[in-house]
Structures are given as C-alpha cells and as structure tokens.
Amino acid sequence: MSTSSSETTTSPETPRSAKTSRIPKVPFWAQILLGLALGVLFGWLAKSGDISWLGATLAKIGEIFVQLLKLAVAPLVFFAILVSITNLRQVNNAARLATRTLLWFMVTSLIAVAIGLAIGLITDPGSGTGLTAKDGGLPKHTGSWIDFLTGIVPTDIITPFTQLNVLQIVFMAAVAGIAALQLGEKAEPVLKISRSVLELLQKALWWVIRLAPLGTLGLIGNAIATYGWNLIGKYATFTVDIYVGCALVLFGVYPLLLSLVAKVNPLQFFKGAWPAIQLAFVSRSSVGTMPLTQRVTERLGVPREYASFAVPFGSTTKMDGCASIYPAISAIFIAQIFGVHLSIGDYVLIAFVSVIGSAATAGLTGATVMLTLTLSTLGLPLEGVGLLMAIDPIVDMMRTATNVAGQSVIPILVAAKEKILDREAYARAAAIDLDGGTVEEADRKVSVPVPAGAN
C-alpha cells in the first residue's frame, strides 16, 4: 500500500522535472552583461530624451542595491576578521603566513603605484582638460596622518558600527580575535556564536549578490543618465589612465606573479575568480564582494583555514586600484590643474602613502579618504578632490575589480610558496558552477582538501 502511494506521488513530478531541466539557464556573468547593456541603453534614453522618471528609477534601483550591500558591511567585517584570526590557530606557521601575506600586499602595492606614476608622467592627464582650480571643491570627508592614526582606536563600541567606520571595526575585531586566541577553550562559546552569525550574514549577502544584474542596470544607467558622455570627454585621458593602469596590474602583473611565483596557469585563475572580479566591478565594494571572493579563493586551492584569514584581511587593506594606481595618477592630475610641480621626493611620498595608508580605503565604495590623505601629505589643495568626484563612479568600478583580484591572488601566491596550495583544485576551478544551487549546495560540489602540513 505504501509502495503504490509513493509511486502515485512521485510519478507526476517526473515529467515536470524533465520539462524544467530543458529550460536554459543564463550564466551569472551573462546576466551581469545583460544588466550592463540595458543600463547603458536606459541611461542613454533617460539622458537624451530627458525622461526624468526613468532616470529617477535607475538611481533608486542602484541606490537600493548599494544600500543592501552596505547594510551587512559593519557586522560582516567584525565577525569575518574575528573568526579569521582565530582560524589561524588551525594552520601551522600561522605567524609566517600572516607575515608573508602582508609583505606580498606591500610588494604588489609598490608595483601598482609605480605603474600609476609612470602612466601619469607619460600621459599628462591634467593638461588640455579645460578644467581650472575654480571647478574644484572641498570634499565632505578628508584624511590626514593624524586622523588616520588616532582614528584607528574608537571612543566607544557603538559609533563605529552606526557611522560605518570600517578601520575602527577592524581594530576592535582584531583585538577580540587575539583575546580569543589567548583565552583558548574559554572563548569557544563566543566563537561558536560568531561563526554562526558570520554564516548567517554571508548567506544573506549571497541573496544580495544574486541581485547584482539588477543593481548593474541601475548603477550604470544612473551614471550615464546623470553625467552623460560630455563629462567623460573632459576626463578622457584621466579615465583611460586609470583603466589602463588597473588593466596592466590585473592582466599583466597578477598573471606574471601567478606564473613565476606560484607556478600555476594564470588563465585558470581568471576562470575561477571571474565571478568575484565581475561582482566587484559592478558593486564597487570589496567588502560587499568578500564572501564570494573567499569562496572562489578556496575553490582555487587555498586552504579554508588560511583563506578565511587572508581574504577578509585583504578586503580591508589590499587596494592596488584604490590605494595605489588611483592616488598616483590623481595626484599628478590635480598637480597639473593647480600648476604645482611635483619633485622626485613627492613621488616617493606617494608610494609611501600607498603602501602604508591603504587601510584608509577600508573596502568601501570610493577612495576619497585615501586621496585626501595623499594630497594632504604632498601639500596639494584638497579642492582637487572635487574635480574627480563626478567621474569617480566610473573609474571606481575598475579600481575595485583590481582590488578584489589582488585579494585572491596573494593568498594563492603565499599558499603556493608554503606548499599548502591544492593544485588539483586550482586546475579544476574552471569547471565549478557558481550559478546553480544554494551556497551550501555549491560548496558541496567541490571540496577543497587541506594538504598535509596545513593543520
């Protein structure tokens, strides 16, 4: 009796499942490209046809998407950093791994800022723009070395979360993580809750990530509808410089390091990491992309215990696009507009600020604070920041994509040098389907084993 009942309940589902399986599934990258194309089209229609309601709709769609990403930033950063620090105790030579990670961050930042300076000196982005000092304005948020150093320590534990001061959140999370390491088993109940909260936040953020195609439509459409093509023309050289500089790092420096240092195929990296790079380009948020960045990094063979430290750490400090290429070219651009001559010593200062002050960008949308930090160190007028605010959303997309790629590349380099990289997982990363199923289902499809010696 139970057998026939089972047959009657399951048999009608069979043709329905077969029918459903024949429906073609659009890959995530194709959804993003479709959103990009529709955004450009609708933005152009709103601008050329002066369709105010369409422009307002595009702006609201993009605003909601970014707001959803920002909603999870503060708790995500805190619990990700806290848990990642405690996860290091599961890895042999944790101190050496952390040190090597930081050193590679600094090395690649130096390379990126050198590329930015070279491009700026060759192209003279500030000449022939028609812009003058009067076109600039003081930014709402500025940065200085005093503010940077004293601003790391919060005055209370609530304000950093309400005002989204990521640097202070990182500080508190690091202190809590180190304290948990010292307490050992006594801190386990708190860590268990922290891991559960982190998984919950990542799950919720994954739903937001799935809205990226719609967010792309709104963000790109709003940029075109608001600024049009004329404004881009004034900043043509500057915009091209940023994109070329980031492209040289993204498609030149990183593949070279992967090939020479990690001894792996760079094409496999892009096949595996492309979903995270793509989302970063659209969302303009390293922290918002962090769960996806960590997932693709693990699937590229980096042990989870190490990736769960390196990726959150990199999401708040590893900014080759925002903190190296962008301030280098921007400083040259602003100096030319204001008629200020930069010396060799000034270029050295730019490199110093890029390496040491990159944490000021803190993985958030935009790099205004980092730029003001650079300008104040060089003694350049802060009004120059106002010259770049209009074009910032357009250049920020490429900057953030470069940031996120670097946040995945460095753990691969370090893992390869430490002989804990799973090269088989790296080789098959291209076959991973990030579009189908839930987060848990996707994670079960490919399990990245930790090689001997990693625990």
mmCIF file of all heavy atoms in Angstrom, residues 30-68:
data_model
loop_
_atom_site.group_PDB
_atom_site.id
_atom_site.type_symbol
_atom_site.label_atom_id
_atom_site.label_comp_id
_atom_site.label_asym_id
_atom_site.label_seq_id
_atom_site.Cartn_x
_atom_site.Cartn_y
_atom_site.Cartn_z
ATOM 1 N N ALA A 30 26.627 36.315 -17.778
ATOM 2 C CA ALA A 30 25.780 36.792 -18.876
ATOM 3 C C ALA A 30 24.675 37.702 -18.337
ATOM 4 O O ALA A 30 24.285 38.683 -18.988
ATOM 5 C CB ALA A 30 25.183 35.611 -19.627
ATOM 6 N N GLN A 31 24.169 37.377 -17.142
ATOM 7 C CA GLN A 31 23.166 38.237 -16.514
ATOM 8 C C GLN A 31 23.749 39.622 -16.222
ATOM 9 O O GLN A 31 23.083 40.645 -16.423
ATOM 10 C CB GLN A 31 22.666 37.597 -15.221
ATOM 11 C CG GLN A 31 21.933 36.285 -15.402
ATOM 12 C CD GLN A 31 21.564 35.653 -14.072
ATOM 13 O OE1 GLN A 31 21.290 36.341 -13.092
ATOM 14 N NE2 GLN A 31 21.556 34.327 -14.021
ATOM 15 N N ILE A 32 24.994 39.641 -15.752
ATOM 16 C CA ILE A 32 25.667 40.908 -15.463
ATOM 17 C C ILE A 32 25.834 41.726 -16.755
ATOM 18 O O ILE A 32 25.568 42.931 -16.782
ATOM 19 C CB ILE A 32 27.045 40.663 -14.819
ATOM 20 C CG1 ILE A 32 26.884 40.045 -13.422
ATOM 21 C CG2 ILE A 32 27.841 41.959 -14.729
ATOM 22 C CD1 ILE A 32 26.420 40.998 -12.361
ATOM 23 N N LEU A 33 26.296 41.074 -17.810
ATOM 24 C CA LEU A 33 26.495 41.771 -19.084
ATOM 25 C C LEU A 33 25.169 42.299 -19.631
ATOM 26 O O LEU A 33 25.117 43.410 -20.187
ATOM 27 C CB LEU A 33 27.145 40.830 -20.101
ATOM 28 C CG LEU A 33 28.622 40.486 -19.872
ATOM 29 C CD1 LEU A 33 29.125 39.560 -20.976
ATOM 30 C CD2 LEU A 33 29.471 41.753 -19.835
ATOM 31 N N LEU A 34 24.101 41.520 -19.469
ATOM 32 C CA LEU A 34 22.786 41.975 -19.908
ATOM 33 C C LEU A 34 22.349 43.206 -19.120
ATOM 34 O O LEU A 34 21.829 44.180 -19.699
ATOM 35 C CB LEU A 34 21.768 40.845 -19.738
ATOM 36 C CG LEU A 34 20.319 41.173 -20.167
ATOM 37 C CD1 LEU A 34 20.268 41.520 -21.651
ATOM 38 C CD2 LEU A 34 19.389 40.001 -19.861
ATOM 39 N N GLY A 35 22.572 43.162 -17.799
ATOM 40 C CA GLY A 35 22.251 44.319 -16.970
ATOM 41 C C GLY A 35 23.063 45.537 -17.363
ATOM 42 O O GLY A 35 22.556 46.668 -17.379
ATOM 43 N N LEU A 36 24.332 45.317 -17.710
ATOM 44 C CA LEU A 36 25.217 46.406 -18.138
ATOM 45 C C LEU A 36 24.703 47.035 -19.436
ATOM 46 O O LEU A 36 24.608 48.264 -19.558
ATOM 47 C CB LEU A 36 26.637 45.864 -18.335
ATOM 48 C CG LEU A 36 27.725 46.855 -18.738
ATOM 49 C CD1 LEU A 36 27.956 47.869 -17.642
ATOM 50 C CD2 LEU A 36 29.020 46.117 -19.046
ATOM 51 N N ALA A 37 24.357 46.184 -20.400
ATOM 52 C CA ALA A 37 23.883 46.679 -21.692
ATOM 53 C C ALA A 37 22.552 47.438 -21.542
ATOM 54 O O ALA A 37 22.373 48.525 -22.111
ATOM 55 C CB ALA A 37 23.713 45.511 -22.666
ATOM 56 N N LEU A 38 21.634 46.863 -20.763
ATOM 57 C CA LEU A 38 20.350 47.533 -20.554
ATOM 58 C C LEU A 38 20.522 48.835 -19.781
ATOM 59 O O LEU A 38 19.811 49.819 -20.038
ATOM 60 C CB LEU A 38 19.395 46.596 -19.805
ATOM 61 C CG LEU A 38 18.883 45.377 -20.584
ATOM 62 C CD1 LEU A 38 18.040 44.487 -19.685
ATOM 63 C CD2 LEU A 38 18.099 45.815 -21.808
ATOM 64 N N GLY A 39 21.471 48.848 -18.837
ATOM 65 C CA GLY A 39 21.736 50.066 -18.078
ATOM 66 C C GLY A 39 22.224 51.194 -18.968
ATOM 67 O O GLY A 39 21.775 52.350 -18.840
ATOM 68 N N VAL A 40 23.152 50.879 -19.879
ATOM 69 C CA VAL A 40 23.654 51.883 -20.817
ATOM 70 C C VAL A 40 22.517 52.387 -21.709
ATOM 71 O O VAL A 40 22.373 53.592 -21.950
ATOM 72 C CB VAL A 40 24.799 51.303 -21.680
ATOM 73 C CG1 VAL A 40 25.174 52.264 -22.805
ATOM 74 C CG2 VAL A 40 26.015 51.010 -20.815
ATOM 75 N N LEU A 41 21.684 51.456 -22.204
ATOM 76 C CA LEU A 41 20.570 51.831 -23.076
ATOM 77 C C LEU A 41 19.563 52.719 -22.353
ATOM 78 O O LEU A 41 19.197 53.801 -22.849
ATOM 79 C CB LEU A 41 19.874 50.560 -23.584
ATOM 80 C CG LEU A 41 18.600 50.773 -24.421
ATOM 81 C CD1 LEU A 41 18.921 51.556 -25.692
ATOM 82 C CD2 LEU A 41 17.946 49.428 -24.748
ATOM 83 N N PHE A 42 19.116 52.285 -21.161
ATOM 84 C CA PHE A 42 18.130 53.071 -20.422
ATOM 85 C C PHE A 42 18.709 54.409 -19.956
ATOM 86 O O PHE A 42 18.004 55.422 -19.929
ATOM 87 C CB PHE A 42 17.606 52.273 -19.224
ATOM 88 C CG PHE A 42 16.761 51.095 -19.608
ATOM 89 C CD1 PHE A 42 16.663 49.980 -18.788
ATOM 90 C CD2 PHE A 42 16.053 51.092 -20.790
ATOM 91 C CE1 PHE A 42 15.886 48.891 -19.147
ATOM 92 C CE2 PHE A 42 15.268 50.007 -21.157
ATOM 93 C CZ PHE A 42 15.181 48.909 -20.341
ATOM 94 N N GLY A 43 19.986 54.404 -19.566
ATOM 95 C CA GLY A 43 20.627 55.653 -19.165
ATOM 96 C C GLY A 43 20.701 56.644 -20.304
ATOM 97 O O GLY A 43 20.458 57.849 -20.129
ATOM 98 N N TRP A 44 21.032 56.134 -21.485
ATOM 99 C CA TRP A 44 21.088 56.998 -22.671
ATOM 100 C C TRP A 44 19.707 57.540 -23.015
ATOM 101 O O TRP A 44 19.550 58.732 -23.348
ATOM 102 C CB TRP A 44 21.658 56.207 -23.843
ATOM 103 C CG TRP A 44 21.621 56.964 -25.141
ATOM 104 C CD1 TRP A 44 22.461 57.966 -25.548
ATOM 105 C CD2 TRP A 44 20.662 56.799 -26.196
ATOM 106 N NE1 TRP A 44 22.093 58.428 -26.792
ATOM 107 C CE2 TRP A 44 20.986 57.736 -27.213
ATOM 108 C CE3 TRP A 44 19.573 55.946 -26.376
ATOM 109 C CZ2 TRP A 44 20.262 57.836 -28.393
ATOM 110 C CZ3 TRP A 44 18.842 56.048 -27.546
ATOM 111 C CH2 TRP A 44 19.181 56.978 -28.535
ATOM 112 N N LEU A 45 18.685 56.680 -22.908
ATOM 113 C CA LEU A 45 17.321 57.132 -23.177
ATOM 114 C C LEU A 45 16.892 58.205 -22.188
ATOM 115 O O LEU A 45 16.264 59.204 -22.567
ATOM 116 C CB LEU A 45 16.355 55.943 -23.107
ATOM 117 C CG LEU A 45 16.420 54.926 -24.258
ATOM 118 C CD1 LEU A 45 15.509 53.738 -23.963
ATOM 119 C CD2 LEU A 45 16.036 55.581 -25.584
ATOM 120 N N ALA A 46 17.215 57.999 -20.907
ATOM 121 C CA ALA A 46 16.837 58.971 -19.874
ATOM 122 C C ALA A 46 17.526 60.310 -20.089
ATOM 123 O O ALA A 46 16.938 61.370 -19.876
ATOM 124 C CB ALA A 46 17.169 58.418 -18.494
ATOM 125 N N LYS A 47 18.806 60.262 -20.536
ATOM 126 C CA LYS A 47 19.572 61.482 -20.740
ATOM 127 C C LYS A 47 19.154 62.201 -22.020
ATOM 128 O O LYS A 47 18.870 63.410 -22.004
ATOM 129 C CB LYS A 47 21.070 61.137 -20.803
ATOM 130 C CG LYS A 47 22.001 62.343 -20.935
ATOM 131 C CD LYS A 47 22.057 63.140 -19.654
ATOM 132 C CE LYS A 47 23.087 64.259 -19.749
ATOM 133 N NZ LYS A 47 23.116 65.081 -18.534
ATOM 134 N N SER A 48 19.114 61.466 -23.125
ATOM 135 C CA SER A 48 18.823 62.099 -24.420
ATOM 136 C C SER A 48 17.364 62.516 -24.539
ATOM 137 O O SER A 48 17.046 63.537 -25.142
ATOM 138 C CB SER A 48 19.182 61.146 -25.560
ATOM 139 O OG SER A 48 18.441 59.935 -25.470
ATOM 140 N N GLY A 49 16.453 61.707 -23.962
ATOM 141 C CA GLY A 49 15.034 62.023 -24.044
ATOM 142 C C GLY A 49 14.520 62.840 -22.882
ATOM 143 O O GLY A 49 13.328 63.157 -22.822
ATOM 144 N N ASP A 50 15.420 63.188 -21.948
ATOM 145 C CA ASP A 50 15.047 63.946 -20.748
ATOM 146 C C ASP A 50 13.851 63.298 -20.040
ATOM 147 O O ASP A 50 12.879 63.960 -19.673
ATOM 148 C CB ASP A 50 14.735 65.398 -21.120
ATOM 149 C CG ASP A 50 14.734 66.314 -19.896
ATOM 150 O OD1 ASP A 50 15.354 65.928 -18.883
ATOM 151 O OD2 ASP A 50 14.101 67.383 -19.945
ATOM 152 N N ILE A 51 13.950 61.972 -19.864
ATOM 153 C CA ILE A 51 12.886 61.217 -19.200
ATOM 154 C C ILE A 51 13.233 61.140 -17.711
ATOM 155 O O ILE A 51 13.993 60.274 -17.273
ATOM 156 C CB ILE A 51 12.753 59.807 -19.804
ATOM 157 C CG1 ILE A 51 12.611 59.891 -21.334
ATOM 158 C CG2 ILE A 51 11.567 59.079 -19.196
ATOM 159 C CD1 ILE A 51 12.602 58.534 -22.009
ATOM 160 N N SER A 52 12.680 62.054 -16.942
ATOM 161 C CA SER A 52 13.057 62.185 -15.531
ATOM 162 C C SER A 52 12.678 60.957 -14.711
ATOM 163 O O SER A 52 13.431 60.530 -13.836
ATOM 164 C CB SER A 52 12.429 63.444 -14.926
ATOM 165 O OG SER A 52 11.020 63.392 -15.054
ATOM 166 N N TRP A 53 11.493 60.387 -14.987
ATOM 167 C CA TRP A 53 11.052 59.241 -14.187
ATOM 168 C C TRP A 53 11.963 58.034 -14.391
ATOM 169 O O TRP A 53 12.212 57.271 -13.456
ATOM 170 C CB TRP A 53 9.610 58.879 -14.505
ATOM 171 C CG TRP A 53 9.380 58.337 -15.893
ATOM 172 C CD1 TRP A 53 8.991 59.045 -16.989
ATOM 173 C CD2 TRP A 53 9.544 56.979 -16.323
ATOM 174 N NE1 TRP A 53 8.898 58.227 -18.090
ATOM 175 C CE2 TRP A 53 9.220 56.943 -17.707
ATOM 176 C CE3 TRP A 53 9.911 55.791 -15.692
ATOM 177 C CZ2 TRP A 53 9.279 55.781 -18.458
ATOM 178 C CZ3 TRP A 53 9.961 54.620 -16.433
ATOM 179 C CH2 TRP A 53 9.651 54.617 -17.794
ATOM 180 N N LEU A 54 12.467 57.862 -15.618
ATOM 181 C CA LEU A 54 13.367 56.748 -15.896
ATOM 182 C C LEU A 54 14.700 56.938 -15.178
ATOM 183 O O LEU A 54 15.247 55.994 -14.591
ATOM 184 C CB LEU A 54 13.586 56.613 -17.403
ATOM 185 C CG LEU A 54 14.506 55.477 -17.865
ATOM 186 C CD1 LEU A 54 13.999 54.126 -17.357
ATOM 187 C CD2 LEU A 54 14.635 55.461 -19.389
ATOM 188 N N GLY A 55 15.223 58.171 -15.217
ATOM 189 C CA GLY A 55 16.469 58.463 -14.506
ATOM 190 C C GLY A 55 16.326 58.251 -13.013
ATOM 191 O O GLY A 55 17.218 57.690 -12.362
ATOM 192 N N ALA A 56 15.174 58.684 -12.451
ATOM 193 C CA ALA A 56 14.935 58.519 -11.012
ATOM 194 C C ALA A 56 14.807 57.041 -10.649
ATOM 195 O O ALA A 56 15.288 56.604 -9.592
ATOM 196 C CB ALA A 56 13.671 59.269 -10.610
ATOM 197 N N THR A 57 14.176 56.262 -11.528
ATOM 198 C CA THR A 57 14.025 54.825 -11.278
ATOM 199 C C THR A 57 15.377 54.122 -11.280
ATOM 200 O O THR A 57 15.662 53.287 -10.406
ATOM 201 C CB THR A 57 13.111 54.190 -12.343
ATOM 202 O OG1 THR A 57 11.844 54.833 -12.319
ATOM 203 C CG2 THR A 57 12.931 52.698 -12.076
ATOM 204 N N LEU A 58 16.214 54.447 -12.267
ATOM 205 C CA LEU A 58 17.558 53.854 -12.336
ATOM 206 C C LEU A 58 18.367 54.204 -11.093
ATOM 207 O O LEU A 58 19.065 53.348 -10.534
ATOM 208 C CB LEU A 58 18.283 54.345 -13.590
ATOM 209 C CG LEU A 58 17.713 53.857 -14.935
ATOM 210 C CD1 LEU A 58 18.366 54.611 -16.083
ATOM 211 C CD2 LEU A 58 17.927 52.364 -15.092
ATOM 212 N N ALA A 59 18.282 55.474 -10.672
ATOM 213 C CA ALA A 59 19.023 55.906 -9.477
ATOM 214 C C ALA A 59 18.562 55.153 -8.240
ATOM 215 O O ALA A 59 19.371 54.737 -7.401
ATOM 216 C CB ALA A 59 18.851 57.412 -9.278
ATOM 217 N N LYS A 60 17.248 54.945 -8.114
ATOM 218 C CA LYS A 60 16.705 54.261 -6.936
ATOM 219 C C LYS A 60 17.104 52.783 -6.921
ATOM 220 O O LYS A 60 17.442 52.236 -5.868
ATOM 221 C CB LYS A 60 15.180 54.395 -6.925
ATOM 222 C CG LYS A 60 14.503 53.809 -5.697
ATOM 223 C CD LYS A 60 15.032 54.449 -4.404
ATOM 224 C CE LYS A 60 14.666 55.915 -4.288
ATOM 225 N NZ LYS A 60 15.086 56.490 -3.001
ATOM 226 N N ILE A 61 17.089 52.136 -8.094
ATOM 227 C CA ILE A 61 17.493 50.725 -8.167
ATOM 228 C C ILE A 61 18.943 50.568 -7.720
ATOM 229 O O ILE A 61 19.277 49.694 -6.910
ATOM 230 C CB ILE A 61 17.314 50.189 -9.605
ATOM 231 C CG1 ILE A 61 15.822 50.083 -9.957
ATOM 232 C CG2 ILE A 61 17.976 48.810 -9.747
ATOM 233 C CD1 ILE A 61 15.563 49.732 -11.405
ATOM 234 N N GLY A 62 19.833 51.416 -8.264
ATOM 235 C CA GLY A 62 21.242 51.350 -7.880
ATOM 236 C C GLY A 62 21.452 51.679 -6.415
ATOM 237 O O GLY A 62 22.260 51.037 -5.725
ATOM 238 N N GLU A 63 20.708 52.662 -5.910
ATOM 239 C CA GLU A 63 20.833 53.074 -4.506
ATOM 240 C C GLU A 63 20.436 51.950 -3.563
ATOM 241 O O GLU A 63 21.113 51.691 -2.556
ATOM 242 C CB GLU A 63 19.957 54.305 -4.265
ATOM 243 C CG GLU A 63 19.985 54.830 -2.843
ATOM 244 C CD GLU A 63 19.011 55.978 -2.637
ATOM 245 O OE1 GLU A 63 18.693 56.681 -3.616
ATOM 246 O OE2 GLU A 63 18.571 56.172 -1.487
ATOM 247 N N ILE A 64 19.341 51.268 -3.871
ATOM 248 C CA ILE A 64 18.868 50.168 -3.011
ATOM 249 C C ILE A 64 19.877 49.030 -3.006
ATOM 250 O O ILE A 64 20.155 48.436 -1.959
ATOM 251 C CB ILE A 64 17.493 49.685 -3.489
ATOM 252 C CG1 ILE A 64 16.432 50.755 -3.228
ATOM 253 C CG2 ILE A 64 17.109 48.379 -2.785
ATOM 254 C CD1 ILE A 64 15.067 50.422 -3.790
ATOM 255 N N PHE A 65 20.439 48.711 -4.181
ATOM 256 C CA PHE A 65 21.415 47.625 -4.264
ATOM 257 C C PHE A 65 22.653 47.925 -3.406
ATOM 258 O O PHE A 65 23.108 47.077 -2.629
ATOM 259 C CB PHE A 65 21.823 47.399 -5.717
ATOM 260 C CG PHE A 65 22.885 46.339 -5.893
ATOM 261 C CD1 PHE A 65 22.603 45.006 -5.635
ATOM 262 C CD2 PHE A 65 24.164 46.679 -6.305
ATOM 263 C CE1 PHE A 65 23.577 44.020 -5.790
ATOM 264 C CE2 PHE A 65 25.143 45.707 -6.464
ATOM 265 C CZ PHE A 65 24.851 44.382 -6.209
ATOM 266 N N VAL A 66 23.193 49.138 -3.542
ATOM 267 C CA VAL A 66 24.373 49.527 -2.760
ATOM 268 C C VAL A 66 24.035 49.555 -1.273
ATOM 269 O O VAL A 66 24.835 49.136 -0.430
ATOM 270 C CB VAL A 66 24.912 50.892 -3.225
ATOM 271 C CG1 VAL A 66 26.022 51.385 -2.288
ATOM 272 C CG2 VAL A 66 25.442 50.800 -4.646
ATOM 273 N N GLN A 67 22.830 50.042 -0.932
ATOM 274 C CA GLN A 67 22.432 50.111 0.469
ATOM 275 C C GLN A 67 22.321 48.723 1.083
ATOM 276 O O GLN A 67 22.690 48.506 2.244
ATOM 277 C CB GLN A 67 21.091 50.844 0.593
ATOM 278 C CG GLN A 67 20.761 51.288 2.012
ATOM 279 C CD GLN A 67 21.795 52.252 2.582
ATOM 280 O OE1 GLN A 67 22.319 53.098 1.876
ATOM 281 N NE2 GLN A 67 22.105 52.096 3.851
ATOM 282 N N LEU A 68 21.830 47.757 0.305
ATOM 283 C CA LEU A 68 21.749 46.381 0.793
ATOM 284 C C LEU A 68 23.136 45.813 1.069
ATOM 285 O O LEU A 68 23.341 45.086 2.052
ATOM 286 C CB LEU A 68 21.015 45.507 -0.228
ATOM 287 C CG LEU A 68 19.499 45.676 -0.315
ATOM 288 C CD1 LEU A 68 18.942 44.914 -1.510
ATOM 289 C CD2 LEU A 68 18.824 45.229 0.976
#
